[in-house]
Amino acid sequence: MNGIGYAAVVGQVVVVVGGAPLLAGWMRQVRARLEGRAGAGVLQPWRDTCKLLRKEPITPAGTGPAFRAAPALLVATTAVATALVPLLSTDTPVSSHADLVVVVALVALGTLALALAGLDTGTAFGGMGASREMTVAALVEPTILLSVFALSMPAGTTNIPAIVAGAAHHPARLASPAGLLAVAALAVAVLAETGRIPVDNPSTHLELTMIHEAMVLEYAGPDLALVELGAQMRLTLLLGLLSSLFVPWGIATSGSWGALAVAPVLFAAKLCLLGAALATAEVCWAKVRLFRVPELLAGSFLLALLAVTASYVLNGAP
Amino acid sequence: MSSGLYTQLLDLACGAFLLAAVIVLWRHELAALVRAFALQGVALAAIAVFLGGHEERWDLIAVGLGIGVLRAGVLPYLMRRALAALAADRGSEEVRETQPLVNVAASLLTAALLTLLAYAVGRPLTRLDPTPAAHALPVGLAVVLIGFFVLATRRRALAQVVGFLLLDNGITATAFLATSGVPLIVELGVSFDVLLAVLVLQILTTRMREAFGTTDIDDLRELHDR
């Protein structure tokens, strides 16, 4: 049993670290095809990463420890959160520590590290990107917390593996109004947190619109590779969290090798579908103005709050 | 209909009902407001039909279908016609709810507070008779309050009409959920009242536009300034 549990944790981290660039490449490829381009191929982000890792590390003059530590901190916090969130199995040695608040705090710590690094460079863009990022983050974190609280009410705990296992055994919990409102709220929050298109455009370097890119402009070489990898891992982690919470089938709920062998395949399939859907949506949508972003996030916060209220008011939950 | 499925369907319809009210607050374009209102009409009809199906009362199902025709068909059609007249007359300027008195983010948060208030107020009612319909009662109250809020904070006449109808939808939903079905004759009377009110408001809107060239309520100062 314990061997299987550790294998599941290691598997989760390996799948996310190895798969995150592939997911990013897959999404870029889908986008390219929909826009009528040939695309660079699914492996391109990995090639970029390898190229950047071979370069000489350079830090701008006058930057302090925050700038140097941020990429490693970003990747490390995301990796720890990945080990905690039940992506492949709910029955792991660390599953008793996988509290919702811990996971959200780990994600927020990565955001904070990057924002500090943006401030540390002392450039106009860095500070601007950091302040925008913190504005978005301040609105996103409560939304993520609230929408998962709506799901944790029927389960009676904020332990994410327990919520996922409960949902896998009682699928009726997910079809309730609380579940539907929560998935809508969490989807918007995930888009904002990972800097995807209605909030931020990940492929632009236009100074007026960018949020995430403005903070990491000064990075080069291996540090840039780590920052990119961290951003891709966060996208994979949060999409994985979304799929685990709302489509929990296929995640191993008991310690058996068979279930654990099936789980990565289904996980990859779910993420491919989600990524393709997201890429399709990004082709169709336009980025909203920065001043309308709080509106969008207030809307998703309201949906999350309604989800909590609904799971309390309506008869679906005791 | 089995009891568990009935509860789920009723809850789902109530969720969609509340969601439509929130979308009315969220969106800027008047056309989107009308679409959200039509969606709410469908959800309201579904609530009535599910209640009727559960209690096997055919008159209630008939009332539900009638409500669906009126609130998801006729009233949105009337509003869309008024909107088309506005758009043809003034270009695209009038078709947007440009500046509500309270900005959208703040009004969304207010809606959240109003929903919580409706739940707090509805608790004693729910405790009287804890059926699934009674549990959903605060949703109707919340929509009544949100309708009031839209009525008070929007400036265009058509947006205020949507607010008024939101209020009425909320009242109807509360009536259905509290009494498990109002008598046919009462519902007919209310429905004709609403239809008449919308027709009158539509004529009023047209007159306002002819007289002042806009339906922005804030521009109507001439009534008391001189």
Side-chain angles (χ1 to χ4, degrees):
Chain A
M1 144 62 212
N2 238 356
I4 300 178
Y6 284 112
V9 174
V10 173
Q12 278 180 188
V13 177
V14 168
V15 164
V16 169
V17 173
L22 295 182
L23 179 70
W26 163 247
M27 287 176 60
R28 278 186 214 165
Q29 187 67 25
V30 170
R31 250 190 108 156
R33 281 294 154 88
L34 284 173
E35 287 169 348
R37 295 183 281 119
V42 175
L43 287 174
Q44 187 58 38
W46 260 126
R47 282 183 221 126
D48 285 345
T49 307
C50 293
K51 178 189 75 183
L52 288 171
L53 281 176
R54 279 197 301 271
K55 296 196 172 191
E56 179 195 2
I58 296 176
T59 51
T63 51
F67 185 82
R68 260 166 280 139
L73 204 58
L74 178 70
V75 172
T77 52
T78 315
V80 174
T82 307
L84 292 178
V85 170
L87 298 175
L88 300 184
S89 166
T90 58
D91 189 19
T92 59
V94 294
S95 62
S96 59
H97 305 289
D99 199 77
L100 166 66
V101 182
V102 173
V103 172
V104 173
L106 280 172
V107 172
L109 186 61
T111 310
L112 183 74
L114 212 53
L116 275 181
L119 285 176
D120 194 21
T121 58
T123 59
F125 283 160
M128 186 190 71
S131 90
R132 288 179 178 178
E133 176 84 0
M134 289 329 284
T135 312
V136 172
L139 293 164
V140 163
E141 305 301 344
T143 309
I144 296 186
L145 279 176
L146 264 187
S147 57
V148 187
F149 276 148
L151 297 170
S152 75
M153 274 175 144
T157 167
T158 55
N159 186 280
I160 298 181
I163 298 172
V164 172
H169 292 137
H170 307 98
R173 278 181 195 168
L174 297 172
S176 65
L180 296 182
L181 290 169
V183 70
L186 194 60
V188 175
V190 166
L191 288 183
E193 178 72 34
T194 54
R196 303 308 297 194
I197 218 155
V199 175
D200 185 12
N201 190 344
S203 56
T204 184
H205 282 271
L206 189 67
E207 59 269 23
L208 282 176
T209 56
M210 57 193 178
I211 300 176
H212 176 81
E213 293 299 327
M215 290 188 298
V216 303
L217 268 182
E218 305 289 326
Y219 278 110
D223 284 340
L224 182 60
L226 276 184
V227 168
E228 295 284 328
L229 182 66
Q232 290 157 357
M233 277 170 67
R234 282 163 68 108
L235 180 66
T236 315
L237 169 69
L238 288 170
L239 286 183
L241 180 65
L242 195 66
S243 73
S244 295
L245 285 173
F246 297 103
V247 200
W249 299 280
I251 296 172
T253 50
S254 62
S256 81
W257 288 108
L260 191 60
V262 176
V265 180
L266 280 172
F267 177 67
K270 279 189 278 190
L271 277 197
C272 278
L273 274 179
L274 260 179
L278 185 55
T280 314
E282 285 188 339
V283 171
C284 303
W285 287 343
K287 190 179 126 20
V288 299
R289 289 176 64 208
L290 189 67
F291 302 112
R292 303 242 346 231
V293 166
E295 219 167 79
L296 182 76
L297 294 177
S300 93
F301 178 75
L302 172 62
L303 289 184
L305 190 67
L306 288 183
V308 173
T309 322
S311 74
Y312 199 42
V313 176
L314 297 177
N315 219 11
Chain B
M1 217 185 304
S2 80
S3 152
L5 182 66
Y6 157 70
T7 308
Q8 284 227 325
L9 285 176
L10 188 70
D11 285 358
L12 215 55
C14 288
F17 188 68
L18 191 56
L19 190 63
V22 172
I23 294 174
V24 167
L25 277 180
W26 199 343
R27 299 302 303 268
H28 287 252
E29 294 88 6
L30 290 178
L33 257 61
V34 176
R35 270 203 302 279
F37 173 73
L39 169 73
Q40 194 174 42
V42 173
L44 183 60
I47 291 176
V49 168
F50 290 147
L51 276 173
H54 180 59
E55 298 177 7
E56 293 180 343
R57 285 173 46 193
W58 297 108
D59 58 329
L60 203 54
I61 295 183
V63 168
L65 294 179
I67 285 181
V69 170
L70 177 70
R71 288 170 198 249
V74 178
L75 294 182
Y77 168 72
L78 285 176
M79 283 191 275
R80 239 174 252 136
R81 239 179 44 174
L83 201 62
L86 282 176
D89 203 30
R90 302 262 304 166
S92 62
E93 182 68 17
E94 278 276 291
V95 186
R96 291 176 69 86
E97 168 71 22
T98 39
Q99 292 163 325
L101 288 181
V102 179
N103 73 31
V104 172
S107 57
L108 284 170
L109 292 180
T110 314
L113 289 180
L114 289 177
T115 311
L116 293 181
L117 178 71
Y119 175 62
V121 171
R123 244 164 82 149
L125 291 174
T126 313
R127 224 180 278 136
L128 285 179
D129 178 23
T131 59
H135 273 287
L137 189 62
V139 172
L141 292 177
V143 173
V144 171
L145 292 174
I146 293 175
F148 261 128
F149 186 72
V150 173
L151 201 52
T153 57
R154 296 297 155 113
R155 293 158 91 170
R156 303 259 184 253
L158 203 64
Q160 295 203 339
V161 173
V162 173
F164 165 74
L165 289 173
L166 219 59
L167 177 66
D168 190 72
N169 270 355
I171 293 172
T172 312
T174 312
F176 272 118
L177 293 170
T179 64
S180 59
V182 285
L184 186 60
I185 192 76
V186 176
E187 187 48 48
L188 272 181
V190 171
S191 293
F192 276 116
D193 257 6
V194 171
L195 187 59
L196 210 62
V198 169
L199 283 173
V200 169
L201 285 171
Q202 198 196 357
I203 294 170
L204 204 63
T205 312
T206 318
R207 285 290 165 84
M208 271 166 62
R209 205 183 62 240
E210 277 169 7
F212 303 103
T214 174
T215 61
D216 193 330
I217 307 292
D218 281 4
D219 290 345
L220 309 183
R221 294 277 162 85
E222 295 186 19
L223 293 175
H224 56 82
D225 270 357
R226 286 178 189 171

